[in-house]
Amino acid sequence: MSHTPDLVVAHGTVVNSFGRQQAHIVVRDGRIVQLLDASEPVPAATRTVDASGQLVIPGGVDGHCHVAQVTGRFRTLDDYRTTSTAALWGGTTTIIDFGIPRDAQETPLDAVLNKKRLAAESRCDVALHGSVVSWDETVPWQLEQLAAEGVRSVKMYTTNRGSTMADGDTILKVMREMVRLDGLTYIHAEHDPIIADCTEQHAADGRIAIEHLHRTRPELAEEISVKETLAMAEYTGAPVYFVHQSTPGAVDLVSDARSRGQEAYSETCPHYLSLDDTVYSSTFPEWYACCPPMRSAETVAALKERLAAGAIHTVASDHSCYDLSQKRERTDDVRFMPHGLPGVETRMPVTFTALSSAGGSVEDFVEVFSAGPARINALPRKGAIVEGFDADLIVFDPATERVVNGGALHMGTDFSPFEGKTLHGWPAVVVSAGRVVVDDAGFQDPGPVGRFVARNGFTEHRDALSPLTPAAPATVTISA
C-alpha cells in the first residue's frame, strides 16, 4: 500500500474559526492526515494544489436545504445531482436536507427514508433532518428509528396551517422526545394566527399580490413565535434551533435565552443579510417570494450587526429551486405562490461579502459558514481543518470579485435573487472528501460519491468537541 499522499494543498493560509496558520495540508484517503508548517518542504503527492497567497478554509456546511421539495402542487426542479453539484460550485461540501411528509399518508420515517434513497445520487456529503406535522402514538418509535439512522434533528413549522404546521401540543411532545434521544429541535417560527389574519385583511383590501408580500407577514409574527417556542424549549429542556431568522428582535430573544442557560441557536440566510423589502417594488418582485419575506433596510443593517457580533450562529441558504414560470403562475395572490429561493451556490460569496462589510473577520465567516453548522448539527469530522477530519477544503482569494449572473449558475433554475450583485469570496478550488472537484478547469464531476452522514447525539457531540481549541486542535476524537 502506497504511503504517498493523494493530495497536498501547499503554501496556503489555513483559516479555522479559532485561528489561522501558514501550512501545507496533507490528504490521504479522504482525510487530513497532517498539517505541516509552510516553512517545511512540500511533500511529494499524487496531486499538489499551490495555494500561495490564498486562504484555505473548511468546506461549507449548509444546514438548511430543500432538495426535490413538494409544496402543494409545486415541486422544485432540482434533484440531488443538480443541487449537490451547485453546492460544490459554491464551496459547500455538505448539505442537510429535510424529510418532510408530503401528506397525511406519508410518515416522518418514510419521508426521511425516501430522501435517503434519493440522496444516493449526490456528489457531496448529505445529512438529513426529520419533520413532524402531527402527533400520534407511533411518533416516539419513529423518532427512535430516525435517531438509529443518524437523523438527530426534527423540524416543525408554527405556521402553514393545513399543510406542514404542527400545533403547540405536537411541538412540546416532540421536544420532550428529542431530549430523550439527545437530538435537536428545528423550528420555522412565524405566528400563524397573526399571519392568517393579516393575510386575510390584505386579501379583503385587494392587496394580496406579490408586491405586498412583506406586509402580510410582519416582524411581530416572527418574534412572538420565537418567544413562545423558547418558553416550550425552556419548559422541556430541549435544545432548539431557529431557521431563517430575519429580524434582530428574533435574534435578541435567542441571545437572551442563551444568557439564561438555554441551548438555543439562531440561523439566518444570505438574502436577509443583503436584500431589503424594496425588492417588492422592483421590476421582478416574484424573484423574492419567500417566507419570512425581506425586511426593511434598517432591519437588514441591524441583522448584519448581530451577525458581525457573533449573535447569529449559522448562515444557511434555505435553498428551494423553483423557476420563474412557477413563480409567475400566481403573482396576483401570494397565498398560492411557491415560496423559496435558489441559493446553495451563492451562499458563500453573499455571506462573505455581507459579513466583511459589517467588519467581520474570515474566522467569523468560517464559524457561520462551516464550523458552527457542523458543530450544532453534530456532524462528525466536519467544520475544521485539523488532522483526522474530512478533507473538505476551499481555496479562495477574498479580493476576487465577480458579478452574479443567474444564467451561469448551476442550480437548475433560471434566475438568482442576487442577479447583478458584485460579490467577493468565491471559491477558486474546492476539495470534497479529498477529491478536487472545482478548479481552473471547471467542475470535475466525481459521480455519485456523496456519503450519507450519520450524525452524533447533540450533547454527545458537544462534549466530544470540547478539546477543539487553538492550543490543541489535533487532540479531537469524534465517533464516526
Side-chain angles (χ1 to χ4, degrees):
M1 179 177 177
S2 173
H3 292 284
T4 302
D6 303 315
L7 175 70
V8 172
V9 179
H11 299 296
T13 300
V14 174
V15 185
N16 281 300
S17 61
F18 50 77
R20 61 179 66 192
Q21 65 185 112
Q22 302 292 336
H24 311 310
I25 306 168
V26 184
V27 175
R28 186 184 298 115
D29 297 329
R31 299 277 183 91
I32 299 165
V33 296
Q34 196 173 18
L35 289 176
L36 292 175
D37 189 275
S39 63
E40 297 291 327
V42 178
T46 303
R47 178 167 182 179
T48 300
V49 171
D50 185 1
S52 298
Q54 297 182 297
L55 305 182
V56 189
I57 65 172
V61 176
D62 193 338
H64 187 168
C65 281
H66 297 280
V67 184
Q69 172 179 269
V70 176
T71 304
R73 63 187 184 83
F74 293 101
R75 182 198 182 280
T76 57
L77 300 178
D78 60 341
D79 55 22
Y80 275 98
R81 176 174 182 168
T82 302
T83 297
S84 62
T85 296
L88 291 169
W89 270 108
T92 289
T93 52
T94 304
I95 61 173
I96 311 183
D97 186 19
F98 295 84
I100 300 173
R102 297 185 180 188
D103 51 39
Q105 284 67 53
E106 187 172 42
T107 68
L109 179 58
D110 286 342
V112 165
L113 295 178
N114 287 337
K115 278 296 186 79
K116 188 175 179 181
R117 284 191 286 270
L118 294 174
E121 291 299 313
S122 183
R123 272 58 182 162
C124 70
D125 287 351
V126 176
L128 288 170
H129 306 289
S131 181
V132 174
V133 176
S134 60
W135 182 268
D136 63 46
E137 67 277 4
T138 72
V139 170
W141 175 83
Q142 290 188 66
L143 295 178
E144 290 175 3
Q145 300 308 301
L146 291 178
E149 291 279 343
V151 177
R152 305 298 286 262
S153 56
V154 169
K155 182 180 182 181
M156 290 174 287
Y157 294 77
T158 65
T159 190
N160 303 336
R161 66 178 67 177
S163 58
T164 57
M165 178 180 168
D167 62 26
D169 288 339
T170 296
I171 291 172
L172 192 143
K173 289 175 181 177
V174 169
M175 282 183 169
R176 280 197 171 130
E177 291 302 310
M178 297 314 287
V179 171
R180 180 174 70 85
L181 297 169
D182 195 16
L184 179 63
T185 300
Y186 262 54
I187 296 289
H188 173 136
E190 290 183 287
H191 192 274
D192 192 74
I194 291 176
I195 289 172
D197 184 75
C198 189
T199 301
E200 288 169 7
Q201 294 288 339
H202 278 76
D205 293 341
R207 296 179 295 125
I208 199 64
I210 180 60
E211 58 264 30
H212 302 290
L213 173 63
H214 56 302
R215 300 185 181 95
T216 66
R217 306 180 87 94
E219 293 186 17
L220 177 64
E222 181 175 345
E223 292 167 13
I224 289 298
S225 184
V226 170
K227 189 172 184 178
E228 287 185 352
T229 305
L230 282 168
M232 286 191 282
E234 183 175 12
Y235 175 67
T236 59
V240 62
Y241 177 109
F242 292 94
V243 299
H244 52 48
Q245 293 198 307
S246 67
T247 78
V251 174
D252 290 347
L253 286 165
V254 172
S255 295
D256 290 346
R258 290 177 62 83
S259 73
R260 300 192 302 271
Q262 276 190 258
E263 289 277 10
Y265 300 92
S266 291
E267 168 200 287
T268 195
C269 302
H271 39 283
Y272 300 124
L273 298 168
S274 57
L275 302 171
D276 63 52
D277 60 13
T278 60
V279 298
Y280 298 114
S281 58
S282 68
T283 305
F284 303 111
E286 67 273 16
W287 289 13
Y288 310 102
C290 61
C291 298
M294 308 312 167
R295 305 301 190 184
S296 69
E298 294 77 14
T299 293
V300 172
L303 196 68
K304 285 173 62 174
E305 289 175 0
R306 302 307 194 275
L307 179 68
I312 295 172
H313 305 99
T314 72
V315 180
S317 67
D318 193 6
H319 176 79
S320 297
C321 193
Y322 301 103
D323 72 356
L324 290 176
S325 66
Q326 293 172 305
K327 293 281 189 182
R328 287 171 175 158
E329 280 191 31
R330 291 304 306 270
T331 56
D332 64 310
D333 194 328
V334 297
R335 294 172 295 181
F336 304 108
M337 289 185 71
H339 292 275
L341 305 178
V344 71
E345 187 171 353
T346 48
R347 182 176 71 107
M348 179 175 177
V350 178
T351 304
F352 188 85
T353 301
L355 181 54
S356 58
S357 72
S361 67
V362 180
E363 288 85 350
D364 295 333
F365 170 69
V366 171
E367 173 63 23
V368 297
F369 179 70
S370 182
R375 181 177 63 254
I376 295 165
N377 286 290
L379 290 165
R381 301 186 306 275
K382 302 289 186 183
I385 301 177
V386 297
E387 293 175 10
F389 273 45
D390 289 349
D392 299 333
L393 310 167
I394 312 299
V395 180
F396 77 109
D397 180 352
T400 300
E401 293 185 341
R402 284 168 49 189
V403 177
V404 177
N405 174 1
L409 298 174
H410 308 86
M411 292 182 284
T413 186
D414 54 358
F415 78 104
S416 168
F418 309 108
E419 183 74 33
K421 284 191 170 290
T422 299
L423 304 173
H424 55 281
W426 297 86
V429 177
V430 178
V431 178
S432 179
R435 304 177 185 88
V436 176
V437 291
V438 176
D439 59 13
D440 289 342
F443 184 63
Q444 316 302 316
D445 189 348
V449 297
R451 300 164 295 188
F452 175 76
V453 182
R455 293 153 59 194
N456 295 325
F458 176 81
T459 57
E460 170 198 8
H461 192 81
R462 181 195 61 198
D463 294 345
L465 276 179
S466 58
L468 185 55
T469 65
T475 63
V476 181
T477 301
I478 299 178
S479 61

